[in-house]
């Protein structure tokens, strides 16, 4: 037990979180972490504890809290199944480069390898770290109280430096109780003074500027590194200065206001024609904080999203492992994207005739405007379709029109996410938040509550599929318990519709285990989500006409209370685009507009 002037392990961790200015922690109790919860109780005036009803909900809340606020927070879970529920949200944060500290309880060290209740011991004692090693940046497991101060400060540093990501601090029960230190480490002496905003080497910056100025058909491609790296203003400055159009991966949408004349929109398998057709024709592509995953890159099939080479790729990323992973580079630079953009702008200050070079891009921009008109003509009918169930494109448009400019829209995973990426027009980096790496259902259902904690004065709306909401309906109780005025728009298509679409497209319509039906009548089945919400103390309404969606969203926001809108959406329409996607062995989809680009085709 701690001495007279010493903090125990749990108190050191809580004290450190407070020193790092963490306002909230999200989690769930268990016998393995009650001492940690007691330490939170002691400091409840300085740090707020949010108790949820499923551990992955805590992780999703911590994840989105960071995406909105830019500040990491922490979760707490107990040993055994409590922490075993966390890897889904850990993996999501890891692949999307989002930091949070997962504080997991474990069995006492005196019981290691004895098979105590909820101990994972068959391969190695107290072996929860092996469970999550591939789901986070690093696992720390102090086994004595005196090890806690070092572990907590190193864990925090690992989490926030370099490429950000979650860490796990796995603490045996007795280590929470043991004397650890007279005070927690001081962040101002450790992590607070570390900057990972490294710049590119000066010669690389000069070469990048030379390539951009020499290009006839340049395009900037942005990913999550620009949005969460605080580089949006610098991106806009570069694009406007050189008159270079900006395309976005799904993770980059909103880095440049979608209504900006240089914004091309989404590059992806369902990407906008003006975006895909520009990036695949580019002679120089400046990629900033982009992974080039299969959806962005049309399964890496040349001529749909990209044609690298002959396109010369300048790839900038803080993680050198991502550079040259999927495409050869003409220039690869390890750098923080905001620092790099400022280096580029400074180098441009030393150059002459920039306006002349920017003006020379008018022919390229006129070509792109033509592609944009073709795309707009293709999708126009969907915006006025008044059928029931509601056309998903029309639903997307009505949602977008109803949201205030400062709203935060948190999307879950499913076919609705594809529609939002195609037709939502985010105005700022945190207007549209989605999961793009791991893709777990429940991310948006729970994450919207984390958004509200990060931005209590802004409307926070989740658009989530019926499948995902039913998995995580416990969020209704959390919203009521903590008076969180969030809005859920349940995209109710009575199916796991994105997967059913794959069965129809790749398996000749052989459908199984992807839709929800009444076993007697064969009619569509789902719970009455609006009634479910009302039973939990949340206001709920059902919408089956497109024209009513906007009014329902505006009314929900105006109540300043938790609110659910159950919307009947057609399940048989999937968003098309200018790219493709391949399931190896089953074939590839066809573009809805345009054809594959061949750079040496004289007809192009």
């Amino acid at each position: 037990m701690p001495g007279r002037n010493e903090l125990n392990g749990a108190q050191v961790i809580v004290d450190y979180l407070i020193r790092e200015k963490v306002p909230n922690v999200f989690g769930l109790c268990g016998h393995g972490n009650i001492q940690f919860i007691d330490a939170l109780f002691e400091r409840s005036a300085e740090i707020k504890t949010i108790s949820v009803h499923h551990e992955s909900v805590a992780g999703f809340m911590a994840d989105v809290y960071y995406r909105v606020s830019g500040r990491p927070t922490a979760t707490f879970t107990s040993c055994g199944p409590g922490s075993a529920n966390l890897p889904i949200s850990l993996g999501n944060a890891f692949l999307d480069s989002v930091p949070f500290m997962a504080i997991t309880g474990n069995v006492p060290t005196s019981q290691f390898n004895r098979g105590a209740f909820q101990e994972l011991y068959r391969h190695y004692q107290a072996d929860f770290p092996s469970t999550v090693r591939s789901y986070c940046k690093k696992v720390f497991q102090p086994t004595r109280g005196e090890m806690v101060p070092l572990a907590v400060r190193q864990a925090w540093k690992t989490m926030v430096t370099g490429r950000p990501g979650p860490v796990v601090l796995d603490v045996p029960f007795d280590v929470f109780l043991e004397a650890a230190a007279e005070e927690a480490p001081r962040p101002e002496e450790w992590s607070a003074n570390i900057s990972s905003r490294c710049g590119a080497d000066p010669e690389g910056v000069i070469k990048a500027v030379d390539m951009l100025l020499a290009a006839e058909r340049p395009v900037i491609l942005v990913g999550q590194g620009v949005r969460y790296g605080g580089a949006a203003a610098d991106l806009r400055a570069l694009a406007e200065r050189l008159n270079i159009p900006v395309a976005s991966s799904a993770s980059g949408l909103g880095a440049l206001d979608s209504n900006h004349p240089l914004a091309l929109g989404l590059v992806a398998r369902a990407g906008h024609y003006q975006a895909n057709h520009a990036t695949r024709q580019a002679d120089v592509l400046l990629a900033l904080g982009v992974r080039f995953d299969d959806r962005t890159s049309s399964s890496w099939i040349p001529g749909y999203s990209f044609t690298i080479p002959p396109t010369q790729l300048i790839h900038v990323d803080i993680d050198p492992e991502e550079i040259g992973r999927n495409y050869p580079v003409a220039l690869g630079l390890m750098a923080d994207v905001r620092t790099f953009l400022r280096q580029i702008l400074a180098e441009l200050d030393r150059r002459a005739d920039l306006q002349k070079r920017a003006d020379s891009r008018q022919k390229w921009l006129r070509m792109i405007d033509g592609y944009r008109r073709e795309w707009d003509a293709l999708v126009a009918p969907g915006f006025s379709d008044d059928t029931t169930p509601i056309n998903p494109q029309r639903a997307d448009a009505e949602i977008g029109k109803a949201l205030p400019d400062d709203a935060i829209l948190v999307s879950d995973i499913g076919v609705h996410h594809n529609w939002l990426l195609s037709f939502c027009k985010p105005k700022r980096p945190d207007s549209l938040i989605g999961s793009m790496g791991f893709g777990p259902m429940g991310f948006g259902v729970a994450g919207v509550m984390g958004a509200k904690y990060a931005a209590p004065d802004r409307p926070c709306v989740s658009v989530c599929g019926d499948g995902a909401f039913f998995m995580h309906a416990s969020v209704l109780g959390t919203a009521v318990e903590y008076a969180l005025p969030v809005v859920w728009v349940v995209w109710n298509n009575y199916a796991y519709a994105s997967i059913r679409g794959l069965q129809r497209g790749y398996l000749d319509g052989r459908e199984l285990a992807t839709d929800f039906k009444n076993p007697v009548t064969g009619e569509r089945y789902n719970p009455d989500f609006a009634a479910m919400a009302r039973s939990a103390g949340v206001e709920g309404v059902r919408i089956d006409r497109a024209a009513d969606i906007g009014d329902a969203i505006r009314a929900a926001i105006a109540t300043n209370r938790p609110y659910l809108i159950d919307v009947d959406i057609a399940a048989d329409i999937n968003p098309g685009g200018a790219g493709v996607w391949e399931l190896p062995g089953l074939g590839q989809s066809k573009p809805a507009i345009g054809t594959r680009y061949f750079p040496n085709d004289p007809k192009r």
Side-chain angles (χ1 to χ4, degrees):
M1 295 298 290
R4 188 182 181 103
N5 296 314
E6 286 189 304
L7 303 176
N8 64 30
Q11 290 168 328
V12 165
I13 297 169
V14 171
D15 192 47
Y16 187 81
L17 294 177
I18 292 170
R19 290 175 183 270
E20 287 285 4
K21 299 180 173 56
V22 173
N24 309 294
V25 291
F26 309 103
L28 207 151
C29 64
H31 79 276
N33 66 3
I34 58 170
Q35 185 62 36
F36 179 73
I37 296 172
D38 194 47
L40 287 169
F41 178 83
E42 292 177 339
R43 307 293 293 275
S44 55
E46 299 162 276
I47 187 168
K48 187 173 183 180
T49 302
I50 313 300
S51 171
V52 299
H53 297 282
H54 194 280
E55 287 83 359
S56 57
V57 167
F60 293 142
M61 290 176 70
D63 180 317
V64 178
Y65 180 89
Y66 173 83
R67 297 188 199 223
V68 174
S69 70
R71 301 190 309 273
T73 184
T75 63
F76 61 94
T77 54
S78 187
C79 49
S83 292
N85 274 332
L86 197 61
I88 290 175
S89 47
L90 270 176
N92 182 69
F94 188 39
L95 294 188
D96 277 6
S97 306
V98 174
F100 72 85
M101 180 180 286
I103 300 160
T104 60
N106 211 322
V107 300
T109 58
S110 61
Q111 297 178 2
F112 275 18
N113 210 32
R114 301 191 72 179
F117 181 53
Q118 297 182 335
E119 182 193 7
L120 291 167
Y121 68 95
R122 299 280 181 92
H123 295 286
Y124 188 75
Q125 60 191 24
D127 202 19
F128 180 71
S130 291
T131 305
V132 291
R133 194 165 283 120
S134 61
Y135 287 82
C136 63
K137 285 189 75 175
K138 192 168 182 179
V139 185
F140 298 81
Q141 190 187 59
T143 52
R144 300 191 307 275
E146 65 205 47
M147 297 169 66
V148 172
L150 177 66
V152 71
R153 70 168 173 82
Q154 287 188 342
W156 191 275
K157 186 199 78 167
T158 299
M159 178 177 71
V160 298
T161 54
R163 183 176 184 170
V167 295
V168 172
L169 182 61
D170 188 63
V171 186
F173 181 82
D174 55 320
V175 177
F176 279 135
L177 289 164
E178 285 181 8
E182 292 186 359
E183 63 176 2
R186 297 176 181 271
E188 59 270 22
E189 296 173 357
W190 298 97
S191 58
N193 295 324
I194 300 174
S195 171
S196 294
R197 290 197 175 275
C198 55
D201 73 271
E203 291 182 0
V205 172
I206 292 170
K207 184 177 180 181
V209 169
D210 289 342
M211 292 173 67
L212 290 173
L213 292 180
E216 295 181 359
R217 300 182 307 279
V219 176
I220 300 172
L221 175 67
V222 298
Q224 182 165 296
V226 176
R227 290 176 61 194
Y228 300 136
D234 303 291
L235 167 69
R236 177 171 177 163
L238 175 61
E240 292 178 345
R241 193 161 185 183
L242 295 183
N243 228 6
I244 300 178
V246 178
S248 301
S249 72
S251 297
L253 285 172
L256 182 67
D257 186 335
S258 299
N259 298 309
H260 193 286
L262 290 172
L264 299 178
L266 176 69
V267 175
R269 58 178 181 174
H272 304 159
Y273 185 49
Q274 66 271 13
N276 278 50
H277 204 33
T279 53
R280 65 198 183 200
Q281 291 185 81
D283 55 357
V284 173
L285 182 68
L286 173 60
L288 302 170
V290 180
R291 293 190 303 119
F292 288 108
D293 66 289
D294 59 325
R295 291 173 298 179
T296 301
S297 305
S298 292
S299 295
W300 307 290
I301 302 171
Y304 287 108
S305 291
F306 310 106
T307 316
I308 305 170
T311 295
Q312 291 184 288
L313 174 62
I314 305 171
H315 194 175
V316 183
D317 202 286
I318 199 166
D319 184 355
E321 292 293 325
E322 295 298 349
I323 300 171
R325 180 187 296 279
N326 289 315
Y327 288 110
V329 293
L331 178 62
L333 297 170
M334 186 189 79
D336 167 73
V337 291
R338 188 179 77 179
T339 304
F340 170 77
L341 285 169
R342 292 178 179 180
Q343 289 177 291
I344 290 285
L345 292 168
E347 176 62 24
L348 290 174
D349 288 339
R350 293 187 281 271
R351 302 295 182 105
D353 298 325
L354 292 183
Q355 188 58 50
K356 181 180 178 181
R357 191 64 217 161
D359 291 345
S360 70
R361 305 265 161 73
Q362 291 306 315
K363 179 182 177 181
W364 174 228
L365 295 176
R366 283 195 298 272
M367 290 172 61
I368 290 171
D369 284 341
Y371 310 148
R372 196 190 311 271
R373 286 191 293 272
E374 290 183 65
W375 172 255
D376 290 344
L378 174 74
V379 301
F383 291 123
S384 57
D385 189 349
D386 205 27
T387 55
T388 299
I390 299 166
N391 181 307
Q393 185 181 322
R394 173 74 186 279
D396 195 25
E398 297 298 331
I399 292 168
K401 287 188 292 186
L403 292 176
D405 286 347
D406 66 339
I408 300 169
L409 178 59
V410 186
S411 174
D412 212 279
I413 288 298
V415 71
H416 68 279
H417 188 48
N418 299 333
W419 284 106
L420 289 171
L421 292 172
S422 293
F423 297 107
C424 183
K425 293 187 178 294
K427 298 179 176 63
R428 47 195 282 180
D430 59 1
S431 292
L432 174 62
I433 294 174
S435 162
M436 298 312 306
F438 204 43
M441 295 173 72
F443 169 80
V445 180
V448 69
M449 297 189 295
K452 195 65 181 179
Y453 275 109
D457 297 327
R458 295 173 60 186
C460 295
V461 178
S462 167
V463 177
C464 50
D466 47 329
F469 186 81
F470 204 6
M471 286 183 186
H472 297 84
S474 68
V475 295
L476 295 170
T478 302
V480 171
E481 291 166 27
Y482 293 95
L484 292 173
V486 298
V487 178
W488 290 279
V489 178
V490 179
W491 191 282
N492 193 350
N493 52 28
Y494 295 84
Y496 298 122
S498 61
I499 308 307
R500 191 173 72 175
L502 297 180
Q503 291 176 333
R504 292 179 175 182
Y506 291 96
L507 301 176
D508 298 323
R510 296 190 298 276
E511 301 173 24
L512 182 66
T514 52
D515 57 9
F516 316 138
K517 291 183 178 178
N518 184 299
V520 177
T521 65
E523 296 295 317
R524 301 182 306 167
Y525 164 76
N526 248 332
D528 184 334
F529 291 116
M532 180 186 295
R534 292 192 294 270
S535 74
V538 173
E539 295 206 33
V541 297
R542 167 80 170 181
I543 299 294
D544 56 17
R545 291 190 332 120
D548 296 334
I549 296 175
D551 287 341
I553 291 174
R554 284 184 282 269
I557 292 172
T559 65
N560 202 36
R561 295 181 56 196
Y563 206 105
L564 182 142
I565 304 167
D566 182 7
V567 187
D568 187 3
I569 306 283
D572 298 330
I573 311 173
N574 290 305
V580 298
W581 199 47
E582 181 178 38
L583 285 177
L586 295 179
Q588 67 184 58
S589 60
K590 293 180 172 58
I593 182 173
T595 58
R596 186 175 181 181
Y597 170 74
F598 293 95
N600 298 318
D601 185 351
K603 298 178 182 179
R604 66 179 175 86

